[in-house]
Amino acid sequence: MATTETNILNRLYFVSGSLFVFALAVVFKLCSIQFIQGEEYRELAEKRTVKDFEIPANRGNVYSADGSLLATSIPKYDVGIDPVTSSNKNFEAYIRPLCDSLQAFTGESASSFQSKLRKARETDNQYVLLARDLSYSDFIRFREFPLLNLGAIRGGFVFSQKTKREHPMGRIAERSIGYEKIDENGYATRVGIDGAFGIKYLRGENGKRLKQKIGNGQWKPIADFNQIEPKDGYDVYTTIDVNIQDIAHHALLGQLEYYKADHGCVVVMDVKTGEIKAISNLGRNKNGFYYERLNYAVGESHEPGSTFKLMALASGLEDKLIDTSDVVDTEKGILSFYGNKVRDSRNGGYGKITVAEAFEVSSNTGIVKAIDNAYRKNPSKFVDRLYSMNLNDSLALPIIGEPSPIIPDPRIKNGRWSGIALQWMAYGYGVSFTPLQTLTFYNAIANDGVMVKPRFLKEVRKFDKVIVPFEKEIINPKICSEPTVKKLQALLKNVVEKKHGTGHRLYSDNFSMAGKTGTCQKDYATKDKLNYISSFAGFFPADNPKYSCIVVIHEPDKSVGYYGADVSGPVFKRIAQKIYTDTPIIEEVQSLDFKNDVVNEDFGHYNDMANKYKQLMPYVVGMPAMDAVALLENLQVNVKLNGSGVVRKQSIDKHQKLKPNQTIVLEAS
């Protein structure tokens, strides 16, 4: 018996001791967590339940030269409510009027909202989304709804902000205006002006907002204010003229549709400053509609064809190895070099003609023969002259995607030089340029030899303060001598003005143009894929150039037409004609001291009436309504005008005595 009791006591002591040790261990662990590891665990818990979220800064706006909005960031708001945080008194007092306001805004029934919010409160759901993608005005309206207007703590008001980039002009110049997109992995896609100047000027500095995790992967802002407010980006003012841009876009679009071409581009540049006034790039989708698919003007390099003949002749003229009066034999329109033939588009050629005429009629054989005679023994000299005119240099544009020009060089072993490279270069094959690179050279000829860099930006602003001005950049102050420039200007003018010129069908008595047609074969290595690139580059007016322009259209329907004069030339003419008629070339009024008999007579008649009828009602029927109003108001009476145009009826007959502040009604139409 005693032994049994002893065993039982021992077991009790053991159990009690074990429980005591366990209790000590628990107390020790609690103390360790609280005082030794407490800070670490608190930080870990906070990281898991509380987190800083970035608030994107409003991206700066992109404007045209005249201040028209081209791209802007629109703030959008998601608005929700924490139905748990408000007191029972506030919740019950405002739940019905809140749901009535939500019904008026969304169209969803108030009872549905009330049921949803009550259920969320009962289940401790701390976030109910009320509306997405609200504009700022709608967001302000939401903040005034009952219960929400009590704020985050008392009313449970919760919101998050994001920005959306919009282009008010739609898809016009979309690729050139551009965008910057950053995916979930942080990879950025930057296109056009917006992409090029995003990091430096447009992007701004993001803010921060503290949010708490409330379950189901949802995060709720802790307060209705930001920990760090975002700083908006600067605004960028481009050189784009929206009127010229609209003209260029629609002129190109119409021609692409008519010729069922694959894609095309047009650029209009200010001759003196290099400012890009318009740039349009349109490509066709699988449904046959055209849109700003790629920035072809900046990023697509191709063989220029006959537009390169200007560069070839510039070399020969500057080296004094060729003169425009030299006579060349086109040899029935076919030349042969190592079994490869150069052909004229005109069967039988042009016989013996001057170099100037060869350029004006765009004779391949004539230009090739002139270059071959001049540089056959020293082709490096031809290449060096091209280099001296900066034709081998890229334009170093801020817009991403510009390739470098391609010019074969016999001294460089890269597989581009061959026994026929010189001859093929003479009429635009084997070399490669983007449309904007080609235009830069033509613009230099229009600018008396001064090559300026194409420029897309005028300035960067913060509100009305100019932060960074962008000035004209000169690439080369003199690409060739004045005599060479004058001869080239005359050649380009003759292409349009002379009846035999390839651009003569563009000629107009009303305004002058100068330029060069280009028709280049594309994919000529494979007969089945053979297609064409049609182009026209030049400037206007011909004698005092204001703008230069290039039009390039790829793969027009050959059954409709493919020559540069037919396909691209009319686009150039429409742009030039519209700009010429809409934009005065002389922008300054020389004198305001002039006489106009009609104006003087009208003013005299008006003045006589004003002096004669100081107290009597004049007869104003037949007068322009605004003149009649001005006349009567000078008589200290009140005038009520119905309609506009010419006065047809007056409420007071003529010669009636007028009283001060009397009301007279005029009917106009």
Side-chain angles (χ1 to χ4, degrees), residues 31-286:
C31 292
S32 175
I33 291 174
Q34 180 69 25
F35 300 107
I36 300 174
Q37 298 175 298
E39 191 65 31
E40 179 184 345
Y41 282 113
R42 276 191 291 273
E43 287 180 5
L44 183 61
E46 191 169 310
K47 283 182 181 177
R48 290 181 176 178
T49 59
V50 179
K51 184 179 177 182
D52 267 329
F53 282 78
E54 275 201 341
I55 303 173
N58 284 328
R59 196 174 182 85
N61 296 328
V62 179
Y63 293 95
S64 68
D66 66 353
S68 299
L69 195 58
L70 301 179
T72 186
S73 291
I74 305 295
K76 297 291 183 181
Y77 300 87
D78 292 345
V79 173
I81 185 173
D82 177 357
V84 179
T85 190
S86 57
S87 66
N88 285 329
K89 180 182 177 180
N90 286 337
F91 187 83
E92 294 300 332
Y94 296 114
I95 181 65
R96 183 169 293 178
L98 169 62
C99 293
D100 289 340
S101 298
L102 292 172
Q103 176 180 328
F105 186 87
T106 65
E108 188 177 339
S109 69
S111 60
S112 173
F113 274 113
Q114 190 168 162
S115 174
K116 188 187 302 183
L117 293 177
R118 287 190 180 279
K119 183 178 179 181
R121 187 173 174 88
E122 290 171 4
T123 59
D124 286 334
N125 182 358
Q126 293 181 279
Y127 183 78
V128 176
L129 179 67
L130 299 178
R132 287 185 184 277
D133 293 333
L134 294 178
S135 66
Y136 181 73
S137 58
D138 287 339
F139 169 70
I140 295 299
R141 181 180 169 187
F142 252 80
R143 286 179 58 171
E144 300 305 317
F145 284 176
L147 191 59
L148 300 182
N149 60 4
L150 298 179
I153 305 301
R154 296 174 57 213
F157 179 63
V158 179
F159 76 93
S160 60
Q161 178 184 339
K162 56 188 176 183
T163 57
K164 183 180 179 183
R165 200 68 168 166
E166 292 189 356
H167 294 80
M169 287 181 64
R171 307 205 76 166
I172 293 180
E174 186 179 31
R175 296 294 299 189
S176 300
I177 297 168
Y179 57 84
E180 181 183 47
K181 291 182 179 178
I182 302 176
D183 63 18
E184 62 275 7
N185 299 317
Y187 180 78
T189 302
R190 298 184 178 93
V191 173
I193 294 169
D194 206 317
F197 299 99
I199 296 175
K200 196 169 185 180
Y201 302 120
L202 290 165
R203 187 183 287 178
E205 296 179 14
N206 293 340
K208 287 186 179 180
R209 190 170 196 194
L210 206 59
K211 294 186 180 183
Q212 183 178 21
K213 194 171 185 180
I214 57 176
N216 297 323
Q218 294 181 321
W219 293 80
K220 182 191 77 170
I222 291 178
D224 59 355
F225 59 87
N226 300 322
Q227 274 62 41
I228 300 176
E229 290 296 332
K231 294 181 180 179
D232 294 346
Y234 295 132
D235 294 330
V236 164
Y237 282 74
T238 72
T239 59
I240 299 292
D241 184 306
V242 291
N243 294 321
I244 298 177
Q245 180 67 46
D246 185 64
I247 293 167
H249 173 86
H250 288 96
L252 176 64
L253 177 60
Q255 204 72 344
L256 290 172
E257 290 176 337
Y258 180 78
Y259 281 94
K260 304 173 187 176
D262 182 74
H263 65 274
C265 67
V266 57
V267 185
V268 181
M269 184 191 299
D270 185 287
V271 168
K272 300 297 181 186
T273 66
E275 293 182 354
I276 300 298
K277 294 300 180 182
I279 177 168
S280 185
N281 301 275
L282 296 174
R284 186 175 58 188
N285 63 16
K286 61 182 180 181

Side-chain angles (χ1 to χ4, degrees), residues 364-380:
N364 295 334
T365 58
I367 298 299
V368 169
K369 177 164 279 193
I371 295 298
D372 181 61
N373 290 340
Y375 294 102
R376 181 173 56 244
K377 295 180 180 179
N378 189 7
S380 296

Side-chain angles (χ1 to χ4, degrees), residues 615-621 632 635 637-640 647 649-659 661-667:
Q615 293 180 329
L616 301 179
M617 176 66 192
Y619 185 67
V620 295
V621 173
L632 294 173
L635 302 179
V637 296
N638 300 319
V639 182
K640 182 180 179 182
V647 178
K649 187 178 179 181
Q650 60 188 65
S651 62
I652 305 296
D653 290 335
K654 65 179 180 179
H655 299 165
Q656 294 291 318
K657 191 171 182 179
L658 297 175
K659 299 177 182 179
N661 298 319
Q662 184 176 357
T663 298
I664 298 170
V665 180
L666 303 180
E667 303 289 341

Side-chain angles (χ1 to χ4, degrees), residues 521-532 558:
Q521 290 185 351
K522 180 180 182 180
D523 298 324
Y524 45 82
T526 306
K527 189 174 182 180
D528 293 339
K529 294 183 179 180
L530 176 64
N531 224 306
Y532 291 89
K558 295 189 288 290

